[in-house]
Amino acid sequence: MYFILIKQFFRSKTVLLAFGILMILGVLSIGTGKQFLTQKQEVIAKTTIQQKKHIETQSHLHKDDLGLLLYYLKFSFINPVNSLAGISIGQSDLNSHIQNVTILNLEGQKYDTDLVNPMRLHVGNLDISFLIIFLFPLIIIALNFNILSEEIEDGTWKMIVIQGKSSFQYLLKKLSIRVFFVLAILGVLLLLAKIILDIPFSKGFLQIVIMSYLYVLFWYSICFFVILLRKSSNTNAIVLLSSWLILVVFLPVLVNNYVTNKYSVEEAFTMTIKQRDEYHKKWDTDKKETLDKFYAHYPQFSEYKLQEEGFSWLWYYAMQQMGDDESKQERDAMYNKIEKREKLSKNIAQFFPPLQVQLAMNDIANTSLTHQVNFLNATTKFHEEMRLQFYPKIFENVPANKIDWKKYKPEFFKTANSFNLFDNILYMVIISLFLIGFSVIKNLKYFK
């Protein structure tokens, strides 16, 4: 019986079409991920070479004036690309992975992005996470919506019942063939992604695999629930497609609008304006007032006094520092709201698996907004360390050629991933088990 059901399943044109669509789009999505990783890795590799050339050129041109040299000199801080980002790109294509910063005011430098074809950004990326979250449910619906209703409508279901065999077991056999088929394709695509994207068999990769399989089984539980409502094929199709539209499209948009309106980030604009305004106002402000604020921020530099006549690098860099200090409140408020947005989104997403899986994959791949904010905060720390290294040398008029510039190489951002798999799958598993259990209990009277 099982062999006959398998032959019947693979004779269907729907199966061949589903297999073709998933494999073609799967290969394309892996290619997209590979292209993304290659582009980022090439830029990172070139950054090391470029910084070395940049320092050599600028230090040769301005070897007598360290203050002027550091006005031009840029230091690279790199957010390394996780190979899992090829599976879930998230918003990392919009955010810069490399911060090239001078020791001037920082806030105006943080938000420079990579040069990317705007048409590509407009179209978006077809990565594997998109394929799993959006397309796999449609294929599951197409393969399963009528496995019971078609038998009833064709009159063959009565024959199965009359034969005395377990009709429930027969339905499970038909369903299991479809489950194994989809899970096998998913496994092949994830294996291809691991090989082509050069993903190590790490904890993060295993977490993505588990999330993907549980998400597919979640959609099978929805199909199982709808099938056992024992409605017509047309009704099943409409109910399942409506479920897909609500869970995958409508609710994420609704949640996004709610979160955006609840925590509006107007500080993003005011921070930029204030940082620039406060810096430019210092040209017309008494120098002593600027220096007093600078000494309040850095008491260790209070020994350096402002020269009475001529241009002073002490005053100039103090003025630059004030641009960041005066906008710090807005910056902290903006990051605080972004963190609240992410936290609220994750709390809501627990009850909506498509949104949950998307946020979880971004977290695992380090392509989430939270990860980008952490990188920007680390950039602030990196920038501060550069300032503390060079301020004393500038104020003491140390010649630029007395500094060993060879030791200044790009630094890399290190982050610890605190993703908790159990918390992210708990509600999805509970919802799936509830749908299956409720369906079985309600239909016990129909099955032997």
Side-chain angles (χ1 to χ4, degrees), residues 40 74 77 92-102 105-116 271-272 275-276 335 372 375-376 379:
K40 294 297 182 182
K74 292 186 175 182
F77 187 57
S92 59
D93 56 335
L94 300 175
N95 300 317
S96 175
H97 283 255
I98 300 173
Q99 295 283 309
N100 295 309
V101 296
T102 66
N105 54 72
L106 176 63
E107 295 305 324
Q109 305 179 63
K110 271 187 182 179
Y111 308 101
D112 293 336
T113 58
D114 297 335
L115 293 176
V116 181
M271 178 193 67
T272 303
Q275 179 265 329
R276 294 179 180 178
Y335 287 171
Q372 180 64 17
F375 173 57
L376 293 179
T379 301

Side-chain angles (χ1 to χ4, degrees), residues 78-220:
I78 300 172
N79 181 11
V81 182
N82 191 329
S83 57
L84 291 173
I87 291 179
S88 184
I89 295 175
Q91 291 186 335
S92 59
D93 56 335
L94 300 175
N95 300 317
S96 175
H97 283 255
I98 300 173
Q99 295 283 309
N100 295 309
V101 296
T102 66
I103 65 168
L104 304 179
N105 54 72
L106 176 63
E107 295 305 324
Q109 305 179 63
K110 271 187 182 179
Y111 308 101
D112 293 336
T113 58
D114 297 335
L115 293 176
V116 181
N117 188 334
M119 289 302 297
R120 180 181 295 175
L121 296 179
H122 178 72
V123 173
N125 292 301
L126 175 65
D127 56 14
I128 299 180
S129 67
F130 179 89
L131 194 70
I132 293 171
I133 294 168
F134 285 85
L135 186 60
F136 264 80
L138 290 176
I139 297 299
I140 293 170
I141 290 170
L143 293 176
N144 294 277
F145 77 97
N146 63 346
I147 62 172
L148 175 59
S149 57
E150 186 180 44
E151 300 272 9
I152 295 174
E153 290 163 359
D154 292 343
T156 55
W157 186 251
K158 291 182 179 179
M159 295 177 58
I160 295 170
V161 175
I162 292 172
Q163 287 176 354
K165 296 181 179 179
S166 172
S167 54
F168 183 63
Q169 187 179 21
Y170 173 80
L171 182 63
L172 288 181
K173 286 180 179 179
K174 289 189 67 175
L175 189 63
S176 65
I177 294 170
R178 289 154 175 79
V179 171
F180 290 136
F181 172 73
V182 174
L183 293 182
I185 294 177
L186 177 60
V188 169
L189 291 178
L190 290 173
L191 181 61
L192 283 175
K194 182 186 183 305
I195 296 171
I196 296 173
L197 301 180
D198 196 24
I199 300 173
F201 192 79
S202 59
K203 179 181 177 182
F205 179 69
L206 183 61
Q207 288 171 336
I208 284 182
V209 171
I210 292 172
M211 292 288 295
S212 301
Y213 273 92
L214 288 176
Y215 180 69
V216 167
L217 293 176
F218 162 76
W219 276 100
Y220 267 106

Side-chain angles (χ1 to χ4, degrees), residues 346-364:
K346 289 177 181 179
N347 289 337
I348 297 174
Q350 293 180 91
F351 306 100
F352 307 113
L355 186 56
Q356 175 73 23
V357 172
Q358 181 66 77
L359 294 176
M361 285 189 174
N362 288 345
D363 271 347
I364 296 169

Side-chain angles (χ1 to χ4, degrees), residues 275-287:
Q275 179 265 329
R276 294 179 180 178
D277 187 50
E278 291 298 329
Y279 157 66
H280 287 294
K281 283 197 307 186
K282 295 299 181 288
W283 290 96
D284 302 315
T285 303
D286 181 63
K287 292 183 178 180

Side-chain angles (χ1 to χ4, degrees), residues 22 34 40 64 76 96 145 179 220 228 305 325 356 410:
L22 288 177
K34 183 66 174 179
K40 294 297 182 182
D64 298 325
S76 298
S96 175
F145 77 97
V179 171
Y220 267 106
L228 291 183
K305 303 303 179 182
D325 287 356
Q356 175 73 23

Side-chain angles (χ1 to χ4, degrees), residues 8 50 93 139 151 162 206 238 274 288-289 307 330 359 364 390 411:
Q8 182 186 30
Q50 182 59 35
D93 56 335
I139 297 299
E151 300 272 9
I162 292 172
L206 183 61
I238 292 172
K274 191 168 185 179
K288 185 178 183 302
E289 181 183 335
Q307 63 188 44
E330 285 74 14
L359 294 176
I364 296 169
F390 289 116
E411 294 189 20

